[in-house]
Amino acid sequence: MNILLISNCLTTYLVIGALLFGIGVYGMVQRQTFIGMLISAELVLSGASVNFMAFNRFLAPDPVVGQVFTLFIMAIAAAEAAIALSIIIAVYRNYKSIETDETVDLNG
């Protein structure tokens, strides 16, 4: 199978995006620490970004739309990481742990 044919197919990018999204969702469900959950959330956003770029390349008549969406997702991911890390640091200062099981009184 020729590698150029695989890289020039929409299905390949959609499968990669779906894999990233699925691994991210699985990680968010299975991880016990806040850092692991944050990394998994980044994988979910990366999977969505790959799908936007794939649809932009193969289906959109205007090539700028997908790139703008991807830049928007990258900005959201950066803001999410900054806010989540500050929350994780605050939780660590109060509980001396970032395990989700040890912070059960945050449930509300």
Side-chain angles (χ1 to χ4, degrees), residues 45-95:
L45 291 173
S46 296
S49 182
V50 166
N51 281 341
F52 276 120
M53 287 303 291
F55 282 120
N56 176 51
R57 180 175 178 218
F58 291 104
L59 299 179
D62 187 13
V64 178
V65 175
Q67 295 170 0
V68 169
F69 270 114
T70 301
L71 286 175
F72 186 69
I73 288 173
M74 289 171 66
I76 288 174
E80 175 251 340
I83 292 170
L85 284 175
S86 65
I87 291 172
I88 290 169
I89 288 171
V91 166
Y92 181 76
R93 285 182 180 167
N94 288 332
Y95 295 97

Side-chain angles (χ1 to χ4, degrees), residues 27-28 31-42 80 100:
M28 288 179 71
R31 290 291 174 184
Q32 297 293 321
T33 63
F34 292 121
I35 297 293
M37 294 170 72
L38 176 65
I39 292 170
S40 298
E42 295 293 328
E80 175 251 340
T100 56

